[in-house]
Amino acid sequence: MRSAVVFAGVSPHPPIIVPEIGGDRLAECMATVRGVERMMQRLVASGPDTVVIISPHAPLDPRSFSAYSGPRLRGDFWDFGAPEVEFTISNDLVLLSRLAALCQERNIPLWLIPAGRRLDHGTMVPLYYLVKAGWTSKVAVVGLSFLPAREHVRFGEAIADAAAQLNLRLAICASGDMSHRLKPDAPAGFSERAHLYDEAIVAALREGDFEKILAIDPDLREEAGEDIYRSLLIAYGAIGRKLHRTEVFSYEGPFGVGYMAAVLADYSSSDNGSKEPSAEGDRTERSDVAASPGLDPAPEPAAAAQPEIDLPAMARQSVAYYLSQGKIMPAPEPISGRWARPSGVFVSIKTRDGELRGCVGTIHPTRKTIVEEVIHNAVSAATADPRFPPVTADELDRLVFSVDVLSPPERVAGPNDLDPSRYGLIVESADGRRGLLLPDLPGITTVERQIELALRKAGIPPGTPVTYWRFTVERLKEKSE
């Protein structure tokens, strides 16, 4: 079967490169803006029928890839102070249906994200520049999983094959930022080696050698704190594991996060993606994906049972480490038992008098294990809750940490299915605004009060139709001294 992909490119997704958000700071990342503009212009000029955006920030099911469903995809930058910047664009349901069928045939798990879910910023930033470049037709948006790397490549192959079966010309946009730890004031802390990760990817693309990306040390990937690797793997599968006419338009890291705009494959000078590689910078990759050095090896035998990690103590240790070292604490090894699985996690910090000092969490998991989720969310609760100034090292002895491990959210019909003492609540409006309350909070004893506060947190006016989701938590409190 000949490849349907006529173009594949890479776009970063920092909201600051959107002019309505970046404002005066746009000048600090102008190389990225120009690079993304050039990449999107090339994409549109390749003449695709549909564009597939691969987003690392799409809602995550660790055991499954995902795709936004529904006839229309909507998103805005409300969370970034620019609610006036919004898009509504047609979803390619025909391609999505064929992809779902192929995934079922090939035993590739695919979760269809419920219709109406607001697009994530990993989609919205590339979409902003795609529309600016003149794109007005259909798109499809897919997300990642925690499955092995080889499964991401297979998923990319399924995307291309689905398009080929429909005789569609397809363009791929792999959304992703590189290292998040390039400077001491970077959002995820600083790593002296992080720049090596970015340099390796940029060099590999300039040389047209994806094998060098596959060979990057997994420990270096982890240390870099990146979110581009799995997007690249899906794109790699979609282009038939062949780079073609690669070009890096821009790379910079002005805010401590690496941004790259690049071309992985461009067949716009021919009618399809089946052209044999012939030019410099066009290399056929190894066909045995499972044997490539950068792809995940077969699972190793389970380690011996370890004592269960005290999550609140881990949260405290994580904050103390960050305040003294200026970077995220490495996760302990090995991680086994209940906390080795992924899950949404909230970390709460209070004074010993019971006053809230910070609370940040994730509804869906963003890390491979609960332990890693706690480590990152504890730092965010201490330093990035906008309601409070950052926690200082002098305060730590006067603070108390607690951790809530969330069950997967369950959609319910309405208020009759809620109970504020037992269930947490998520309310979501049709335009994607979302508010969350944890269960069993002081002063919230009725369903009506729980709904009222959740709506207020989301900025949703009373009486607005919303979708209700409930979840349970396992609440773990710090042991008294």
Side-chain angles (χ1 to χ4, degrees):
M1 180 184 301
R2 70 179 191 175
S3 174
V5 177
V6 295
F7 183 91
V10 180
S11 172
H13 53 241
I16 199 169
I17 70 172
V18 175
E20 291 85 350
I21 299 172
D24 294 341
R25 301 200 70 186
L26 201 67
E28 300 176 59
C29 51
M30 191 53 66
T32 298
V33 171
R34 299 295 183 231
V36 176
E37 287 176 339
R38 289 182 62 193
M39 191 278 287
M40 291 301 185
Q41 289 164 2
R42 283 270 293 274
L43 184 155
V44 172
S46 70
D49 299 306
T50 294
V51 177
V52 172
I53 299 174
I54 306 164
S55 173
H57 292 288
L60 176 69
D61 181 333
R63 301 167 299 279
S64 172
F65 298 102
S66 63
Y68 284 92
S69 65
R72 306 286 284 174
L73 301 177
R74 298 179 175 87
D76 59 47
F77 287 108
W78 179 283
D79 293 341
F80 299 95
E84 73 280 5
V85 184
E86 56 182 344
F87 296 109
T88 300
I89 195 163
S90 295
N91 193 4
D92 195 330
L93 294 181
V94 176
L95 175 62
L96 190 60
S97 177
R98 180 90 296 266
L99 174 61
L102 269 185
C103 286
Q104 185 173 17
E105 291 174 11
R106 299 178 183 185
N107 198 28
I108 301 172
L110 177 63
W111 168 47
L112 296 182
I113 301 165
R117 182 71 66 90
R118 183 178 60 173
L119 294 173
D120 62 281
H121 77 273
T123 302
M124 284 292 294
V125 174
L127 184 59
Y128 179 96
Y129 282 95
L130 180 63
V131 171
K132 183 178 180 181
W135 186 253
T136 59
S137 191
K138 297 178 180 180
V139 303
V141 181
V142 300
L144 316 180
S145 73
F146 287 155
L147 294 172
R150 66 178 69 86
E151 295 301 309
H152 287 72
V153 176
R154 291 183 63 229
F155 182 52
E157 292 170 337
I159 292 171
D161 288 349
Q165 291 180 10
L166 296 169
N167 200 29
L168 294 176
R169 292 167 58 89
L170 198 65
I172 303 289
C173 175
S175 172
D177 292 337
M178 302 229 275
S179 172
H180 287 54
R181 298 170 180 167
L182 295 175
K183 294 184 176 181
D185 58 351
F190 176 63
S191 164
E192 292 182 351
R193 299 203 311 144
H195 68 96
L196 299 175
Y197 177 81
D198 292 14
E199 291 166 6
I201 289 183
V202 171
L205 293 185
R206 285 179 171 154
E207 296 170 16
D209 189 353
F210 200 91
E211 197 74 21
K212 291 184 177 179
I213 295 176
L214 298 177
I216 293 175
D217 182 357
D219 290 339
L220 179 59
R221 295 205 320 260
E222 180 69 23
E223 189 172 340
E226 53 80 39
D227 64 10
I228 196 173
Y229 184 71
R230 286 179 169 81
S231 290
L232 288 175
L233 290 176
I234 294 174
Y236 174 55
I239 59 179
R241 307 178 197 168
K242 299 176 184 177
L243 300 180
H244 182 60
R245 294 172 59 193
T246 58
E247 185 171 356
V248 177
F249 291 127
S250 63
Y251 170 79
E252 62 179 348
F255 310 115
V257 178
Y259 308 142
M260 179 183 69
V263 174
L264 299 175
D266 185 357
Y267 291 98
S268 57
S269 61
S270 58
D271 291 333
N272 59 71
S274 62
K275 179 180 177 182
E276 291 301 319
S278 59
E280 185 177 350
D282 183 352
R283 173 169 306 191
T284 302
E285 302 302 335
R286 184 179 304 176
S287 60
D288 182 4
V289 176
S292 295
L295 299 183
D296 297 343
E300 295 181 0
Q306 300 289 324
E308 185 168 275
I309 292 173
D310 184 333
L311 293 184
M314 180 64 63
R316 174 182 291 277
Q317 184 181 355
S318 173
V319 173
Y321 186 94
Y322 183 84
L323 294 178
S324 64
Q325 304 295 320
K327 60 183 180 181
I328 299 293
M329 180 179 73
E333 294 183 358
I335 300 173
S336 61
R338 290 192 301 157
W339 309 142
R341 62 183 173 88
S343 177
V345 167
F346 273 71
V347 176
S348 300
I349 306 173
K350 294 183 179 180
T351 67
R352 295 197 179 276
D353 295 329
E355 295 293 325
L356 186 64
R357 187 63 180 84
C359 180
V360 168
T362 44
I363 302 173
H364 301 283
T366 63
R367 308 287 166 179
K368 293 182 179 180
T369 67
I370 289 171
V371 171
E372 293 168 283
E373 203 84 22
V374 167
I375 288 171
H376 285 79
N377 289 356
V379 171
S380 295
T383 65
D385 188 329
R387 298 169 294 179
F388 305 99
V391 167
T392 64
D394 293 341
E395 291 181 82
L396 280 178
D397 289 343
R398 302 191 300 275
L399 299 177
V400 178
F401 289 76
S402 64
V403 173
D404 287 339
V405 180
L406 277 60
S407 70
E410 171 191 15
R411 185 170 178 172
V412 296
N416 290 339
D417 297 313
L418 303 176
D419 179 349
S421 64
R422 179 182 179 187
Y423 296 114
L425 170 65
I426 302 168
V427 294
E428 185 173 24
S429 62
D431 61 6
R433 284 177 287 175
R434 186 188 303 126
L436 178 147
L437 284 181
L438 295 172
D440 196 25
L441 296 178
I444 303 178
T445 58
T446 67
V447 170
E448 292 75 17
R449 180 61 171 165
Q450 188 184 38
I451 293 174
E452 175 192 350
L453 292 178
L455 291 172
R456 186 184 301 173
K457 284 188 70 175
I460 301 173
T464 302
V466 295
T467 301
Y468 297 93
W469 304 74
R470 71 185 185 186
F471 59 91
T472 59
V473 303
E474 181 174 358
R475 181 160 292 160
L476 305 166
K477 296 184 178 180
E478 200 166 20
K479 296 179 176 62
S480 301
E481 295 180 357

